[in-house]
Amino acid sequence: MLQKQIARQGGVAGAPPLLLFRHVAKTFSSGVVALRDVNLAVREGDFVSLLGPSGCGKSTALRLIAGLAMPTSGQLDWRGGDAGRGDIGFVFQEPTLLPWASVFDNVWLPLRLRGVSRAQAEASIREMLERVHLTGFEDAVPRELSGGMKMRVSIARALVTRPKVLLMDEPFAALDEITRFKLNDDLLELWLDQRFTAIFVTHSVFESAFLSNRIVVMAARPGRVHGELAVEAPYPRDAAFRTSPEYAELCRQASAMLSQAIDAGSGETHGDT
Ligand code: ADP
Ligand code: MG
């Protein structure tokens, strides 16, 4: 357990980062500078939150990591080259499930796209559904599920291929607070167990402080990294952590840094006054 906690907090000492953003910029043809000079090292096993106001380039950063977009300048270096990227799971704010397909078949989809038959995939699918507490709902279709349950399906689908990296873009933003807490707990349990590297986008200070070992605070116009907070609290984290003075202090620090980032982001508009 101690070893797990050390690994969780420090990454592997001396090991090169899994992913390095080097002077990464992304400018859209509209002229919008979504990201400017982003330098960021993600270590294997990190749980990094990207925290920032809307428009600061969080989704753009995830899309670059996923290879869904290319930087305008600078580069993303994966340990071991492009092959080192490996499998990436992506969870969006909308669960994006196939509405006509059962829970089971929705989770099967990424395996199916690789040519894995339903029978071959069955054990992995059942295991993932158990991990997200959806055993018994295999045959349900999305419209029969609550928002939280749909998100659980989406997480199971993202993890069924056992990706090295899981990208999440405000996955719980549309859920009520109780459901969000529960999903935060379950996500941490999955992360501790499966040991993927998590990159989690949120605009919630509370959520980022609960989940991550690093909070990267971003500012907008142009999108950039404003600062970073290390979260030393050990895992597993539970309901007691949520009510601890340590957590309250962490939230205070993250809020202060986020307020600064928001002020910095709007600097151009009141720079002349
Ligand atoms: P966030 O996820 O932090 O809200 P985004 O990465 O979605 O921010 O967007 C950053 C900036 O880039 C915003 O100003 C947004 O309007 C702009 N943007 C995002 N995607 C595109 C696109 N495909 N074309 C043009 N502008 C875009
Ligand atoms: Mg976004």
Side-chain angles (χ1 to χ4, degrees):
M1 173 54 90
L2 183 63
Q3 206 168 7
K4 201 175 196 177
Q5 289 185 357
I6 290 168
R8 278 304 168 196
Q9 285 169 64
V12 182
L18 179 66
L19 169 64
L20 196 57
F21 276 69
R22 296 205 301 168
H23 303 291
V24 170
K26 178 72 178 175
T27 304
F28 288 106
S29 49
S30 58
V32 171
V33 182
L35 292 173
R36 190 184 70 190
D37 197 27
V38 172
N39 295 286
L40 181 69
V42 179
R43 291 167 310 205
E44 187 165 6
D46 263 346
F47 198 122
V48 184
S49 285
L50 304 181
L51 172 69
S54 147
C56 70
K58 305 182 295 297
S59 295
T60 301
L62 288 193
R63 291 176 54 79
L64 292 176
I65 296 170
L68 298 171
M70 296 299 287
T72 315
S73 64
Q75 60 197 72
L76 280 82
D77 289 343
W78 290 90
R79 188 172 72 210
D82 276 349
R85 169 187 287 169
D87 263 354
I88 292 186
F90 210 139
V91 176
F92 302 92
Q93 180 173 345
E94 295 299 324
T96 62
L97 304 177
L98 302 175
W100 61 85
S102 67
V103 164
F104 186 98
D105 286 345
N106 267 287
V107 177
W108 175 33
L109 182 69
L111 293 172
R112 185 182 172 184
L113 293 173
R114 289 161 197 222
V116 183
S117 75
R118 214 168 180 274
Q120 283 171 317
E122 178 161 359
S124 314
I125 296 169
R126 290 200 186 281
E127 190 197 334
M128 266 329 296
L129 287 174
E130 190 187 335
R131 302 306 313 270
V132 298
H133 309 296
L134 283 178
T135 298
F137 291 91
E138 292 82 357
D139 297 329
V141 289
R143 68 165 185 281
E144 298 170 314
L145 305 177
S146 68
M149 290 163 88
K150 283 184 215 165
M151 191 46 73
R152 290 174 184 282
V153 179
S154 182
I155 292 169
R157 182 184 54 189
L159 289 177
V160 75
T161 58
R162 298 288 174 141
K164 265 200 332 206
V165 177
L166 181 64
L167 307 177
M168 286 165 284
D169 196 351
E170 304 195 35
F172 310 141
L175 303 176
D176 66 81
E177 191 160 272
I178 302 293
T179 305
R180 189 168 348 135
F181 281 3
K182 190 76 189 75
L183 278 158
N184 282 177
D185 290 342
D186 293 345
L187 176 60
L188 275 192
E189 210 171 283
L190 277 165
W191 174 71
L192 282 169
D193 192 60
Q194 296 201 4
R195 307 185 74 82
F196 48 84
T197 301
I199 306 178
F200 188 95
V201 162
T202 181
H203 50 236
S204 164
V205 164
F206 305 106
E207 193 167 60
S208 67
F210 182 73
L211 294 171
S212 11
N213 66 326
R214 300 166 60 195
I215 304 174
V216 174
V217 177
M218 296 178 66
R221 287 180 298 278
R224 61 201 187 276
V225 173
H226 175 80
E228 181 174 332
L229 273 177
V231 184
E232 311 275 333
Y235 297 93
R237 297 177 187 167
D238 55 11
F241 177 59
R242 259 199 199 94
T243 51
S244 66
E246 185 184 11
Y247 177 67
E249 171 58 18
L250 187 63
C251 290
R252 195 194 60 71
Q253 286 176 17
S255 291
M257 194 178 277
L258 180 61
S259 300
Q260 281 174 5
I262 290 170
D263 288 348
S266 58
E268 283 144 84
T269 49
H270 55 68
D272 304 342
T273 58

